DNA sequence: TTCATAATTCGATACTACAAGAATTATTGT
DNA sequence: ACAATAATTCTTGTAGTATCGAATTATGAA
């Protein structure tokens, strides 16, 4: 993860509707949800939801998969791991006795 | 951590100079660094650095401690843990068999 | 008190992002 | 091909945020 990628991702998350949508998708796992369903659950206008999901996708945090007439949006967990890893990189000079993030980011195997 | 706090924190981090300053302070631990030193190391105008650090502080990510004529900025690690915890909350419906973030956030004891 | 250093605040200007609704594209079923 | 549904793109107006340099406040030392 480079600085520019992290800035894009953080900027994408720094908005009420997008943050809510992203957190919802985090809970849904790799199956994801279509734009319309997310808009309905969060009570956001469909046209706005499209825009916000596109922003998250351009930032690399989401991917899409078409299923029939629905487009499923789902979290790119690897990207998310990279982002968190970037933020806590070399935390406290890598001194495990002092640091609350000594491990990097967990569980590379599952996603 | 509430949504509004997370938005403030994410928005504060979504800027090149602020992200660089924050990552530098993450590495420094709880001693922190004064504004001038950070500005010098990152080659940022002092007036800009003040503005950016104030933004990070208002977002709750940094705290300050005056030492003589220097003001040391240092990471609020508890806030940072809350932020990351908020982002990965209930990830994958808390199914550890599938999820890459099954643990929440590590090491509450150190900071 | 007076000077030098550290840091912040305050203009003005430019840029980027947001919101709302109308119009457009894409896919499925008849 | 035609209608219906899902989703995106476009347009316009508005609001927030970044930048730069100058001026201001606060601290420590002579």
């Amino acid at each position: 993860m480079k600085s520019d990628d992290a800035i894009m991702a953080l900027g994408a998350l720094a908005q009420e509707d997008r943050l809510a949508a992203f957190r919802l998708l985090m809970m849904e796992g790799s199956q994801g949800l279509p734009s319309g369903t997310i808009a309905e659950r969060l009570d956001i206008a469909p046209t706005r939801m499209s825009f916000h999901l596109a922003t998250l996708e351009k930032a690399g945090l989401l991917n899409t998969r078409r299923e029939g007439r629905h487009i499923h949006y789902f979290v790119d967990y690897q990207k998310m791991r990279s982002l968190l890893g970037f933020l806590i990189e070399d935390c406290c000079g890598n001194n495990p006795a002092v640091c609350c993030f000594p491990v990097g980011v967990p569980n590379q195997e599952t996603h």
Side-chain angles (χ1 to χ4, degrees), chain A:
Chain A
M1 166 89 46
K2 290 182 179 176
S3 177
D4 287 347
D5 300 323
I7 290 164
M8 285 277 288
L10 292 164
L13 291 172
Q15 203 276 345
E16 187 177 359
D17 296 339
R18 284 197 295 269
L19 182 58
F22 179 80
R23 297 215 315 144
L24 181 56
L25 289 174
M26 278 292 281
M27 300 176 195
E28 287 298 320
S30 46
Q31 187 182 351
L33 290 171
S35 179
T37 304
I38 304 172
E40 194 177 358
R41 284 207 204 166
L42 299 179
D43 192 30
I44 296 167
T47 166
R48 288 278 82 207
M49 199 72 260
S50 279
F51 172 75
H52 288 314
L53 292 172
T55 302
L56 287 165
E57 192 194 2
K58 281 172 196 156
L61 290 166
L62 300 183
N63 286 116
T64 59
R65 179 179 52 240
R66 184 175 270 280
E67 292 192 9
R69 67 175 60 180
H70 297 276
I71 297 176
H72 281 249
Y73 285 84
F74 56 98
V75 171
D76 187 330
Y77 288 96
Q78 188 171 344
K79 191 78 174 225
M80 189 57 185
R81 250 187 293 117
S82 300
L83 176 61
L84 300 192
F86 182 79
L87 289 175
I88 69 179
E89 191 173 27
D90 298 326
C91 181
C92 298
N94 291 311
N95 181 353
V98 193
C99 190
C100 51
F101 302 117
V103 288
V105 179
N107 216 351
Q108 312 264 345
E109 307 304 320
T110 44
H111 285 293

